[in-house]
Amino acid sequence: MNDALPSKTVPPLPRVRIITINWNAYEDTARLLNRLRGLAYPAFDVVVVDNASTDGSREQLSAEFPEATVLPMLTNAGFGAANNAALRQAISDEIPW
Protein backbone atom coordinates (compact mmCIF):
# COMPACT_ATOMS: atom_id res chain seq x y z
CA MET A 1 0.00 0.00 0.00
CA ASN A 2 1.33 3.43 -0.96
CA ASP A 3 0.51 6.05 1.67
CA ALA A 4 2.10 8.91 -0.26
CA LEU A 5 -0.09 11.87 -1.01
CA PRO A 6 -0.70 12.52 -4.69
CA SER A 7 1.65 15.15 -6.03
CA LYS A 8 0.19 18.47 -7.04
CA THR A 9 1.43 20.17 -10.13
CA VAL A 10 2.05 23.82 -9.43
CA PRO A 11 1.50 26.00 -12.49
CA PRO A 12 4.25 28.47 -13.32
CA LEU A 13 3.80 31.99 -12.06
CA PRO A 14 2.55 34.45 -14.67
CA ARG A 15 5.21 36.84 -15.92
CA VAL A 16 4.57 40.46 -14.95
CA ARG A 17 6.09 43.55 -16.51
CA ILE A 18 6.38 46.54 -14.20
CA ILE A 19 6.49 49.89 -15.98
CA THR A 20 7.55 53.16 -14.42
CA ILE A 21 8.17 56.55 -15.95
CA ASN A 22 11.17 58.72 -15.05
CA TRP A 23 11.71 62.37 -15.82
CA ASN A 24 14.57 64.04 -13.97
CA ALA A 25 13.70 62.06 -10.83
CA TYR A 26 16.64 59.77 -10.11
CA GLU A 27 16.04 59.60 -6.33
CA ASP A 28 12.37 58.60 -6.62
CA THR A 29 12.94 56.07 -9.37
CA ALA A 30 16.00 54.57 -7.66
CA ARG A 31 13.99 54.19 -4.44
CA LEU A 32 11.29 52.30 -6.36
CA LEU A 33 13.82 50.06 -8.13
CA ASN A 34 15.55 49.24 -4.84
CA ARG A 35 12.21 48.21 -3.35
CA LEU A 36 11.47 46.04 -6.38
CA ARG A 37 14.75 44.19 -5.77
CA GLY A 38 13.19 42.94 -2.55
CA LEU A 39 10.03 41.48 -4.09
CA ALA A 40 9.33 37.88 -3.17
CA TYR A 41 7.54 37.36 -6.51
CA PRO A 42 10.26 36.17 -8.92
CA ALA A 43 8.53 36.35 -12.32
CA PHE A 44 8.79 40.00 -13.28
CA ASP A 45 10.65 42.39 -15.56
CA VAL A 46 11.05 46.12 -15.02
CA VAL A 47 10.98 48.78 -17.71
CA VAL A 48 11.87 52.36 -16.88
CA VAL A 49 10.78 54.74 -19.60
CA ASP A 50 12.94 57.83 -19.38
CA ASN A 51 11.04 60.85 -20.69
CA ALA A 52 14.09 62.71 -22.05
CA SER A 53 15.64 63.52 -18.67
CA THR A 54 18.31 66.20 -18.68
CA ASP A 55 19.73 65.56 -15.19
CA GLY A 56 21.72 62.39 -15.96
CA SER A 57 19.17 60.17 -14.22
CA ARG A 58 18.78 57.90 -17.28
CA GLU A 59 22.49 57.11 -17.29
CA GLN A 60 22.59 56.65 -13.50
CA LEU A 61 19.60 54.32 -13.51
CA SER A 62 21.03 52.26 -16.38
CA ALA A 63 24.34 51.86 -14.56
CA GLU A 64 22.91 51.15 -11.11
CA PHE A 65 20.04 48.87 -12.09
CA PRO A 66 21.21 46.61 -14.94
CA GLU A 67 18.30 44.26 -14.27
CA ALA A 68 15.89 46.97 -15.46
CA THR A 69 15.42 47.90 -19.08
CA VAL A 70 15.75 51.66 -19.46
CA LEU A 71 13.85 52.81 -22.53
CA PRO A 72 14.89 56.34 -23.54
CA MET A 73 12.45 58.75 -25.17
CA LEU A 74 13.85 61.42 -27.47
CA THR A 75 11.47 64.04 -26.11
CA ASN A 76 9.30 64.38 -23.02
CA ALA A 77 6.13 63.16 -24.68
CA GLY A 78 4.17 62.87 -21.45
CA PHE A 79 3.00 60.07 -19.19
CA GLY A 80 0.59 58.40 -21.64
CA ALA A 81 3.04 58.33 -24.54
CA ALA A 82 5.75 56.91 -22.27
CA ASN A 83 3.43 54.11 -21.13
CA ASN A 84 2.48 53.41 -24.74
CA ALA A 85 6.18 53.09 -25.62
CA ALA A 86 6.59 50.51 -22.85
CA LEU A 87 3.54 48.60 -24.09
CA ARG A 88 4.94 48.57 -27.64
CA GLN A 89 8.17 47.18 -26.19
CA ALA A 90 6.21 44.47 -24.32
CA ILE A 91 4.39 43.49 -27.50
CA SER A 92 7.65 43.28 -29.46
CA ASP A 93 9.10 41.15 -26.62
CA GLU A 94 5.97 38.96 -26.90
CA ILE A 95 4.97 39.63 -23.30
CA PRO A 96 1.23 38.97 -22.94
CA TRP A 97 -0.79 41.91 -21.67
Side-chain angles (χ1 to χ4, degrees), residues 18-66:
I18 299 168
I19 299 168
T20 190
I21 313 304
N22 177 68
W23 183 67
N24 294 333
Y26 168 79
E27 293 294 326
D28 294 334
T29 305
R31 188 176 317 113
L32 168 67
L33 296 176
N34 274 316
R35 297 249 172 130
L36 292 176
R37 283 179 169 167
L39 280 182
Y41 190 89
F44 71 93
D45 299 309
V46 178
V47 174
V48 177
V49 182
D50 183 77
N51 239 344
S53 293
T54 58
D55 66 346
S57 58
R58 177 178 56 87
E59 295 82 4
Q60 279 183 283
L61 293 167
S62 292
E64 238 177 276
F65 301 93

